[in-house]
Amino acid sequence: MEWAVFLPAAALAVAGGVGVVAARQPVHSAIALLIVLAALAVTYLVLAAQFVAVLQVIIYAGAIVVLFLFVIMLLNVRSGEDLPVKLPRQAAVAAVAAGVYLTALLVAVLGAARPFPPAPDGFGTAQAVGAALLADYLLPFELAAVIMLVGIVAAVLLGRRPPAGRGDR
Amino acid sequence: MVPATAYLALSAVLFTLGAAGVLVRRNALIVFMSVELMLNAVNLAFVTFARQHLSIDGQVIVFFVLVVAAVEVVVGLALIGEIFRSRETVDIDDVDLLRG
Amino acid sequence: MEALAPARVVLLLAWPLAGWLANGLLGRRLGRLGPGLVGSAAVGASFLTASWLLAAYRALGPEAGPVPVPLGPWFGAGDLVVDAGLLVDPLSLTMALVVSGVGFLIHVYAIGYMAGDAHPARFFAYLNLFVFAMLLLVTAGNLLVLFVGWELVGVCSYLLIGFWFDRPAAATAGRKAFVTNRVGDAAFLLGLFLLFTAVGSLDILTVGEAAAALPAGVRLAAALLLFAGATGKSAQLPLHVWLPDAMEGPTPVSALIHAATMVTAGVFLIARLGGLFLAVPEAMAVVAAVGALTAFFAATVALRQHDLKRVLAYSTISQLGYMFVAMGAFAPAAGLFHLVTHAFFKALLFLAAGSVMHATHDVIDVRRLGGLARPLRWTAAGFAVGGLALAGVPPFAGFFSKDLILEHAFALGMATGNYVPYLLGLLTAFVTAVYITRAALLTFAGQPAEPGAHPHEAPPVMLWPMVLLAVLSASGGLLGARAAGEPLLHFLEPVLPHLGGPLAEVHAPAGPLMALSVATALAGIALGWTVHRGRRDPAGGAFGVFLERRWYIDALYEVALLRPARALGRWLAGPVDLGAIDGLVNGVGRAAMRLGAGVRRWQTGYARQYALGVLVGGVLILVFWMLR
């Protein structure tokens, strides 16, 4: 029965992944990413990670991708693929390397062919994750807050328009 | 029952796709999004392992990845905006001044 | 024993050391005459201290042996434990008196001689340092302490020869002296090592007592090595070449260091280690042979030198040869006697030469002199007294000491059948009389070679020391004359047996030998007068050139030693140092740069390429892990 959920979700995720990587326009790429995120959220639900799934939708899909879209619109980006190619052999070598890598990963992964043990109640709920965060991982939790503060300050500073009359504009 | 292998295989595929995207594409924003794809693949792997070993720690890690990815996107996009403000293109091959 | 307490003995050395420090540090503030006064006072105080120590020692009675003066431990390294210490005995007292007494007179003379010099403070500082070092050498109780003094006098000699270091000749001469001495010092050190290994201690008294018990080979080797060191310091063949060149230094330096004191250090060393040398007859034979040959060689060369100071330099070498002959003839006391008288008359001769230079504005080539007897009356008289003493004419001091040596050389012949030292010594005495007569006539007699000069006599401060030395040269014979009871020889008896070794039973015919000596001296003077009367100076043909070129020994050294050494130096500086070593070091640098340039090509600036590199690396690591 799980297969009925997993397979479509996996297919969508892969399709979306290909879309992210292969799309000509950045906007299309962002939409494809959105599809991937949604598919993965479903997968998380099956894997008894409800809290994470919700977070995924809220933060990733709801904030990050939206941010991407804002910037894409703001910069009014062209595709940038019709400019002279500076690294002619990069694509071929990358393909080979990625192929080898995928093969190796799959081989490694095959050794984990076991069914899951039954999950206890309350596994993956907000309470469970929250309890762990505030007990065992309190320090990283606080540090995460600091990181976010740093990010905010950095973004503000980086995004400032320079004062009028400065530089070589 | 879906074995863990399936989920991990999916994770591997997504990860490799993301890596390929980083290596092949020249649009900075698409590269960035490929990086996010890679991060998601890793998240999937973590959740799978958490489910397999019944340890909530895996999901806690995913929580942190989410947080840091958010911050990273913020800062990264700010940087991209700053760098490419003066150019007409977002070609990352354009920023090649740090060469020997 | 209180009178000879360490503190009082050290006082002897402290005066000149203080003088060195005072002149060295404060000299410039002492004005024109200050340094000279300070320096002379220091050495004078030393002389008084030495006299006082002499009185104290004599008060100990005739049976008093050597008095060691321990100054505490110096250093220790493994088995070697060296205590610093001095030794008060007749030998060291005699030498100390000569060094400080003659040194004092020369210091006073130098006040006048160096009056116009720009750096009196440096000069007198060095002179005081020298006196300190020489006193340290002669009063040392330990061979290493002696070696310190030995080296330090060498350093002072170098500094003083090259005192006018902006003159290339002076600088070269200083270097030559130091390097030549170094060769001797190397042998000296080897001898020290050998002695220490064999005896276990470097204390002079200990070594002296243990010497006779050493194996014959060790004794011989040590004696020969130490004699080699003495050869360098005392300018005997083949290490004599530095002394004539040392005349580039100021004349007081020549008088003090290169006539009266430093060059006698080699003779002193043999006497000091008498216990060792008297036990090795073969070494004594070598000593006598080298001394005799050197004496003869130097005297012949002095016949044809044109620089008055160089004549005196070769004369010094020759007279030092006599002293070594005495040592080799088992008569060290006679050698010391000659050392003392030689200090008197040779210093006098040098001071007179200095007075001549002072009067002629540094002209010292005898071919350009002449007719100085009337304007420089006192100087001429002093030179005459010194010359007669040198030639060995009674009743001057030189006669008594030289005759005593010849007498012992003859006794050596009687005992061993080897009359060569005696014959060479007699022949040398003849030549000595000739060359000093030539020097005197060419300098003082006849008419001036360059008319128009107005030489004037030296000031009193320069004349009084000469007068005193002349008195000593005239009366010094009383120290060792039989008629006067031979006070010096008896004083030295406990340390230097009057007649040691195989000559103890032999008695040479003193009277006839004495007559022969006098006749030889007078004959030499007569010949010299005849040949050089009226300031004639015949060149003597090829033989004369041979003598003038110093038997071509200097030329030989130049070709055989110096040129190869310079070529070696040039080769090492050029191809080896610049080429190989620098090339290696620079090559490392160049290689690093080339490596960097090669690696630089990886840094393309393209982020995507770097990412590819990361991926490839990741792949490799993953594969590696999986295969494990």
Side-chain angles (χ1 to χ4, degrees), chain C residues 10-408:
Chain C
V10 169
L11 200 56
L12 178 70
L13 303 172
W15 293 115
L17 191 65
W20 167 60
L21 284 172
N23 268 326
L25 297 174
L26 305 171
R28 253 173 264 175
R29 286 188 234 155
L30 296 174
R32 215 167 50 87
L33 288 180
L37 292 172
V38 168
S40 307
V43 181
S46 234
F47 178 72
L48 291 174
T49 312
S51 313
W52 179 39
L53 286 173
L54 175 67
Y57 184 78
R58 297 201 65 139
L60 295 177
E63 292 312 310
V67 177
V69 181
L71 293 177
W74 182 12
F75 71 88
D79 282 342
L80 173 64
V81 172
V82 178
D83 291 329
L86 305 174
L87 189 62
V88 174
D89 72 352
L91 178 60
S92 63
L93 283 173
T94 308
M95 293 294 298
L97 283 168
V98 170
V99 170
S100 55
V102 175
F104 173 67
L105 292 175
I106 295 179
H107 272 73
V108 172
Y109 175 93
I111 296 179
Y113 188 82
M114 302 293 284
D117 193 87
H119 303 281
R122 184 161 60 97
F123 182 77
F124 283 101
Y126 286 163
L127 267 190
N128 272 165
L129 183 64
F130 166 80
V131 173
F132 163 74
M134 192 70 204
L135 287 174
L136 182 67
L137 198 163
V138 300
T139 56
N142 180 297
L143 281 174
L144 261 187
V145 176
L146 192 149
F147 187 67
V148 169
W150 185 275
E151 288 294 312
L152 198 50
V153 293
V155 169
C156 291
S157 171
Y158 164 79
L159 289 171
L160 285 165
I161 293 173
F163 181 70
W164 293 308
F165 49 76
D166 44 350
R167 291 219 314 242
T172 310
R175 214 169 48 227
K176 184 172 180 175
F178 196 74
V179 172
T180 315
N181 265 211
R182 225 59 201 108
V183 176
D185 293 346
F188 188 112
L189 269 178
L190 286 176
L192 274 192
F193 297 156
L194 189 59
L195 275 179
F196 175 69
T197 315
V199 176
S201 159
L202 287 174
D203 179 71
I204 287 180
L205 292 175
T206 313
V207 170
E209 281 161 28
L214 294 175
V218 172
R219 258 183 289 150
L220 180 62
L224 287 177
L225 284 170
L226 289 170
F227 176 61
T231 325
K233 195 64 89 185
S234 293
Q236 301 294 291
L237 285 171
L239 294 175
H240 65 283
V241 291
W242 64 272
L243 190 50
D245 285 15
M247 298 298 113
E248 294 288 336
T251 305
V253 171
S254 309
L256 180 60
I257 300 185
H258 305 124
T261 48
M262 185 183 97
V263 291
T264 58
V267 180
F268 168 77
L269 180 70
I270 312 273
R272 184 34 104 207
L273 290 175
L276 170 67
F277 282 91
L278 286 177
V280 192
E282 301 88 346
M284 291 306 238
V286 171
V287 171
V290 171
L293 188 58
T294 306
F296 177 67
F297 153 76
T300 58
V301 172
L303 271 180
R304 291 298 306 150
Q305 295 304 304
H306 303 299
D307 180 324
L308 182 60
K309 283 179 74 174
R310 275 172 175 72
V311 172
L312 295 178
Y314 278 101
S315 170
T316 303
I317 298 176
S318 178
Q319 297 300 305
L320 287 168
Y322 270 110
M323 295 178 217
F324 281 106
V325 167
M327 297 294 165
F330 298 93
L336 255 294
F337 180 31
H338 196 58
L339 193 157
V340 175
T341 60
H342 175 262
F344 295 153
F345 63 72
K346 191 49 66 66
L348 171 61
L349 285 169
F350 266 110
L351 294 191
S355 175
V356 169
M357 288 180 73
H358 178 88
T360 65
H361 296 289
D362 292 343
V363 175
I364 198 61
D365 187 328
V366 295
R367 293 171 293 196
R368 295 172 57 189
L369 297 174
L372 292 175
R374 271 217 286 158
L376 303 183
R377 256 186 269 262
W378 289 93
T379 304
F383 196 91
V385 170
L388 287 170
L390 173 62
V393 174
F396 295 96
F399 160 70
F400 291 98
S401 56
K402 189 186 295 192
D403 181 66
L404 193 59
I405 293 178
L406 286 175
E407 187 183 312
H408 287 305

Side-chain angles (χ1 to χ4, degrees), chain B residues 23-25 92-93 95 99-100, chain C residues 603-606 608 612 615:
Chain B
L23 292 175
V24 175
R25 296 305 299 268
I92 58 171
D93 284 348
V95 281
R99 79 174 91 142
Chain C
Q603 193 166 19
T604 57
Y606 294 123
R608 290 198 295 142
L612 182 58
L615 181 64

Side-chain angles (χ1 to χ4, degrees), chain B residues 48-85:
Chain B
T48 309
F49 284 123
R51 177 69 178 85
Q52 184 171 54
H53 299 290
L54 288 182
S55 159
I56 200 70
D57 294 342
Q59 298 187 8
V60 171
I61 293 180
V62 172
F63 173 84
F64 284 118
V65 171
L66 241 41
V67 168
V68 174
V71 176
E72 167 218 340
V73 167
V74 164
V75 175
L77 286 177
L79 278 174
I80 288 181
E82 184 67 30
I83 291 174
F84 292 99
R85 211 202 291 254

Side-chain angles (χ1 to χ4, degrees), chain C residues 435-583:
Chain C
Y435 74 64
I436 198 64
T437 309
R438 166 182 177 266
L441 287 177
L442 288 181
T443 307
F444 293 101
Q447 297 302 313
E450 296 169 357
H454 296 287
H456 54 92
E457 184 60 278
V461 74
M462 285 169 64
L463 286 180
W464 273 107
M466 287 203 288
V467 168
L468 283 171
L469 284 171
V471 169
L472 287 169
S473 301
S475 62
L478 292 174
L479 286 172
R482 279 202 181 76
E486 299 178 338
L488 177 64
L489 302 176
H490 284 300
F491 180 59
L492 290 172
E493 183 83 14
V495 185
L496 306 177
H498 191 161
L499 284 170
L503 272 65
E505 309 305 317
V506 175
H507 294 287
L513 287 174
M514 196 179 297
L516 189 54
S517 302
V518 177
T520 310
L522 292 174
I525 295 179
L527 178 64
W529 194 278
T530 316
V531 172
H532 298 286
R533 186 176 47 192
R535 292 194 71 249
R536 279 176 305 161
D537 191 24
F543 185 63
V545 173
F546 178 69
L547 294 183
E548 195 178 331
R549 297 282 163 81
R550 303 134 182 224
W551 291 29
Y552 292 109
I553 292 185
D554 290 82
L556 179 68
Y557 282 174
E558 168 73 28
V559 169
L561 295 175
L562 295 182
R563 277 198 212 143
R566 278 188 221 119
L568 181 68
R570 274 194 298 271
W571 178 70
L572 284 175
V576 173
D577 188 34
L578 285 177
I581 297 179
D582 277 5

Side-chain angles (χ1 to χ4, degrees), chain A residues 2-3 6 10 13-14 17-18 20-24 26 29-30 33 36-37 40 43-44 46-49 52 55-56 59-60 64 67-68 71-72 77-79 81 83-87 90 94 98 101-102 105-106 109-110 112-114 116-120 123-124 128-129 132-133 137 140-141 144 147-148 151 154-155 158-161 169, chain B residues 1-10 12-27 29-30 32-37 39-41 43-44 47-57 59-60 62-71 73-75 77-82 84-86 88-91 93-96:
Chain A
E2 276 183 33
W3 283 102
F6 173 72
V14 174
V18 172
V20 168
V21 173
R24 286 278 117 202
S29 197
L33 185 60
V36 173
L37 293 174
L40 282 184
T43 317
Y44 291 162
V46 174
L47 284 174
V52 171
L55 282 181
Q56 169 102 331
I59 297 179
Y60 242 119
I64 293 179
L67 196 55
F68 261 108
V71 174
I72 290 170
V77 178
R78 290 190 288 121
S79 72
E81 302 297 330
L83 294 168
V85 175
K86 294 186 188 172
L87 294 175
Q90 171 88 343
Y101 196 51
L102 181 59
L105 277 177
L106 288 175
V109 147
L110 279 175
R114 280 194 302 280
F116 290 115
F123 183 80
V129 177
L133 272 180
Y137 297 99
F141 185 63
I147 287 186
M148 282 194 275
L158 284 171
R160 254 195 325 188
R161 289 224 168 270
R169 297 272 174 211
Chain B
M1 303 302 302
V2 184
T5 313
Y7 294 102
L8 293 175
L10 176 61
V13 170
L14 286 177
F15 187 83
T16 313
L17 275 175
V22 168
L23 292 175
V24 175
R25 296 305 299 268
R26 283 161 65 187
N27 188 313
L29 289 163
I30 295 183
F32 211 176
M33 282 191 271
S34 304
V35 172
E36 294 307 314
L37 183 57
L39 281 175
N40 273 284
N43 280 348
L44 177 59
V47 169
T48 309
F49 284 123
R51 177 69 178 85
Q52 184 171 54
H53 299 290
L54 288 182
S55 159
I56 200 70
D57 294 342
Q59 298 187 8
V60 171
V62 172
F63 173 84
F64 284 118
V65 171
L66 241 41
V67 168
V68 174
V71 176
V73 167
V74 164
V75 175
L77 286 177
L79 278 174
I80 288 181
E82 184 67 30
F84 292 99
R85 211 202 291 254
S86 54
E88 295 216 332
T89 167
V90 285
D91 181 355
D93 284 348
D94 213 35
V95 281
D96 59 356

